[in-house]
Amino acid sequence: MDRKRFALFGTALAVVLGATVGYAVESRQPYLAVIAVIAALVLLRVARGRVDEVLEDERIERVSERASRRTLELFGMSAALLSALLIAMGNDAGYVLGFAVCAILILYIGFYAFYSRRAV
């Protein structure tokens, strides 16, 4: 499979997934939505393995790493400030947001430790 076919397959898969999740939400079937997302991820992974051409080179990976890190930094700071503001205003949603920020930071620390030991 070439890059163009893979892109077309990914687009078609996204359309089918969107329709399936929309139907699942409308008919109140959460398990269908979860199964559809998992199936789409598996299909995309299998299709990606069959692509003959290079999809990402080192430059694209490096740019992605930098963008991901900046996104995490910006989101973490913004969400932490918003969480503190919501808690100060007496809104319980601030606690949920605060715990979500903590979970993201714990995941980041875990992945950082894992990859630093692997000597990427």
PDB file of all heavy atoms in Angstrom, residues 36-49:
ATOM      1  N   ALA A  36     -16.106   0.337  18.528  1.00  0.00           N
ATOM      2  CA  ALA A  36     -15.812   0.959  17.233  1.00  0.00           C
ATOM      3  C   ALA A  36     -14.467   1.676  17.254  1.00  0.00           C
ATOM      4  O   ALA A  36     -13.680   1.572  16.303  1.00  0.00           O
ATOM      5  CB  ALA A  36     -16.927   1.934  16.857  1.00  0.00           C
ATOM      6  N   VAL A  37     -14.176   2.387  18.331  1.00  0.00           N
ATOM      7  CA  VAL A  37     -12.901   3.097  18.427  1.00  0.00           C
ATOM      8  C   VAL A  37     -11.743   2.110  18.473  1.00  0.00           C
ATOM      9  O   VAL A  37     -10.733   2.279  17.782  1.00  0.00           O
ATOM     10  CB  VAL A  37     -12.891   4.031  19.655  1.00  0.00           C
ATOM     11  CG1 VAL A  37     -11.498   4.564  19.929  1.00  0.00           C
ATOM     12  CG2 VAL A  37     -13.871   5.175  19.461  1.00  0.00           C
ATOM     13  N   ILE A  38     -11.876   1.063  19.268  1.00  0.00           N
ATOM     14  CA  ILE A  38     -10.817   0.057  19.365  1.00  0.00           C
ATOM     15  C   ILE A  38     -10.611  -0.633  18.018  1.00  0.00           C
ATOM     16  O   ILE A  38      -9.473  -0.832  17.575  1.00  0.00           O
ATOM     17  CB  ILE A  38     -11.129  -0.957  20.483  1.00  0.00           C
ATOM     18  CG1 ILE A  38     -11.029  -0.272  21.846  1.00  0.00           C
ATOM     19  CG2 ILE A  38     -10.187  -2.152  20.420  1.00  0.00           C
ATOM     20  CD1 ILE A  38     -11.523  -1.108  23.006  1.00  0.00           C
ATOM     21  N   ALA A  39     -11.691  -0.987  17.350  1.00  0.00           N
ATOM     22  CA  ALA A  39     -11.585  -1.640  16.043  1.00  0.00           C
ATOM     23  C   ALA A  39     -10.916  -0.715  15.024  1.00  0.00           C
ATOM     24  O   ALA A  39     -10.075  -1.156  14.227  1.00  0.00           O
ATOM     25  CB  ALA A  39     -12.966  -2.057  15.543  1.00  0.00           C
ATOM     26  N   ALA A  40     -11.257   0.567  15.051  1.00  0.00           N
ATOM     27  CA  ALA A  40     -10.646   1.517  14.121  1.00  0.00           C
ATOM     28  C   ALA A  40      -9.147   1.660  14.387  1.00  0.00           C
ATOM     29  O   ALA A  40      -8.350   1.714  13.448  1.00  0.00           O
ATOM     30  CB  ALA A  40     -11.335   2.873  14.236  1.00  0.00           C
ATOM     31  N   LEU A  41      -8.763   1.696  15.652  1.00  0.00           N
ATOM     32  CA  LEU A  41      -7.342   1.788  15.987  1.00  0.00           C
ATOM     33  C   LEU A  41      -6.574   0.560  15.508  1.00  0.00           C
ATOM     34  O   LEU A  41      -5.464   0.674  14.979  1.00  0.00           O
ATOM     35  CB  LEU A  41      -7.158   1.975  17.493  1.00  0.00           C
ATOM     36  CG  LEU A  41      -7.563   3.336  18.041  1.00  0.00           C
ATOM     37  CD1 LEU A  41      -7.498   3.336  19.570  1.00  0.00           C
ATOM     38  CD2 LEU A  41      -6.693   4.434  17.472  1.00  0.00           C
ATOM     39  N   VAL A  42      -7.177  -0.611  15.687  1.00  0.00           N
ATOM     40  CA  VAL A  42      -6.524  -1.850  15.239  1.00  0.00           C
ATOM     41  C   VAL A  42      -6.398  -1.860  13.713  1.00  0.00           C
ATOM     42  O   VAL A  42      -5.336  -2.190  13.174  1.00  0.00           O
ATOM     43  CB  VAL A  42      -7.292  -3.087  15.758  1.00  0.00           C
ATOM     44  CG1 VAL A  42      -6.813  -4.356  15.083  1.00  0.00           C
ATOM     45  CG2 VAL A  42      -7.170  -3.202  17.266  1.00  0.00           C
ATOM     46  N   LEU A  43      -7.468  -1.508  13.026  1.00  0.00           N
ATOM     47  CA  LEU A  43      -7.424  -1.478  11.560  1.00  0.00           C
ATOM     48  C   LEU A  43      -6.391  -0.477  11.045  1.00  0.00           C
ATOM     49  O   LEU A  43      -5.656  -0.764  10.093  1.00  0.00           O
ATOM     50  CB  LEU A  43      -8.804  -1.135  10.994  1.00  0.00           C
ATOM     51  CG  LEU A  43      -9.849  -2.245  11.030  1.00  0.00           C
ATOM     52  CD1 LEU A  43     -11.208  -1.698  10.616  1.00  0.00           C
ATOM     53  CD2 LEU A  43      -9.429  -3.379  10.108  1.00  0.00           C
ATOM     54  N   LEU A  44      -6.313   0.688  11.683  1.00  0.00           N
ATOM     55  CA  LEU A  44      -5.339   1.685  11.269  1.00  0.00           C
ATOM     56  C   LEU A  44      -3.918   1.205  11.515  1.00  0.00           C
ATOM     57  O   LEU A  44      -3.034   1.417  10.690  1.00  0.00           O
ATOM     58  CB  LEU A  44      -5.591   2.993  12.008  1.00  0.00           C
ATOM     59  CG  LEU A  44      -4.933   4.236  11.455  1.00  0.00           C
ATOM     60  CD1 LEU A  44      -5.381   4.499  10.021  1.00  0.00           C
ATOM     61  CD2 LEU A  44      -5.248   5.424  12.333  1.00  0.00           C
ATOM     62  N   ARG A  45      -3.703   0.525  12.618  1.00  0.00           N
ATOM     63  CA  ARG A  45      -2.374  -0.010  12.933  1.00  0.00           C
ATOM     64  C   ARG A  45      -1.960  -1.083  11.911  1.00  0.00           C
ATOM     65  O   ARG A  45      -0.820  -1.115  11.455  1.00  0.00           O
ATOM     66  CB  ARG A  45      -2.392  -0.581  14.343  1.00  0.00           C
ATOM     67  CG  ARG A  45      -1.099  -1.114  14.818  1.00  0.00           C
ATOM     68  CD  ARG A  45      -0.147  -0.005  15.082  1.00  0.00           C
ATOM     69  NE  ARG A  45       1.042  -0.541  15.708  1.00  0.00           N
ATOM     70  CZ  ARG A  45       2.015   0.178  16.143  1.00  0.00           C
ATOM     71  NH1 ARG A  45       1.953   1.488  16.039  1.00  0.00           N
ATOM     72  NH2 ARG A  45       3.058  -0.366  16.693  1.00  0.00           N
ATOM     73  N   VAL A  46      -2.898  -1.959  11.560  1.00  0.00           N
ATOM     74  CA  VAL A  46      -2.609  -3.009  10.578  1.00  0.00           C
ATOM     75  C   VAL A  46      -2.324  -2.384   9.215  1.00  0.00           C
ATOM     76  O   VAL A  46      -1.371  -2.772   8.524  1.00  0.00           O
ATOM     77  CB  VAL A  46      -3.781  -4.012  10.493  1.00  0.00           C
ATOM     78  CG1 VAL A  46      -3.637  -4.934   9.304  1.00  0.00           C
ATOM     79  CG2 VAL A  46      -3.888  -4.805  11.779  1.00  0.00           C
ATOM     80  N   ALA A  47      -3.123  -1.395   8.829  1.00  0.00           N
ATOM     81  CA  ALA A  47      -2.916  -0.743   7.539  1.00  0.00           C
ATOM     82  C   ALA A  47      -1.581  -0.005   7.512  1.00  0.00           C
ATOM     83  O   ALA A  47      -0.879  -0.014   6.492  1.00  0.00           O
ATOM     84  CB  ALA A  47      -4.055   0.224   7.247  1.00  0.00           C
ATOM     85  N   ARG A  48      -1.214   0.607   8.610  1.00  0.00           N
ATOM     86  CA  ARG A  48       0.065   1.326   8.670  1.00  0.00           C
ATOM     87  C   ARG A  48       1.240   0.364   8.496  1.00  0.00           C
ATOM     88  O   ARG A  48       2.253   0.715   7.901  1.00  0.00           O
ATOM     89  CB  ARG A  48       0.179   2.079   9.981  1.00  0.00           C
ATOM     90  CG  ARG A  48       1.394   2.945  10.066  1.00  0.00           C
ATOM     91  CD  ARG A  48       1.471   3.619  11.428  1.00  0.00           C
ATOM     92  NE  ARG A  48       2.590   4.525  11.448  1.00  0.00           N
ATOM     93  CZ  ARG A  48       2.503   5.818  11.574  1.00  0.00           C
ATOM     94  NH1 ARG A  48       1.326   6.381  11.717  1.00  0.00           N
ATOM     95  NH2 ARG A  48       3.575   6.565  11.595  1.00  0.00           N
ATOM     96  N   GLY A  49       1.107  -0.832   9.015  1.00  0.00           N
ATOM     97  CA  GLY A  49       2.163  -1.831   8.864  1.00  0.00           C
ATOM     98  C   GLY A  49       2.325  -2.323   7.443  1.00  0.00           C
ATOM     99  O   GLY A  49       3.377  -2.847   7.081  1.00  0.00           O
TER     100      GLY A  49
END
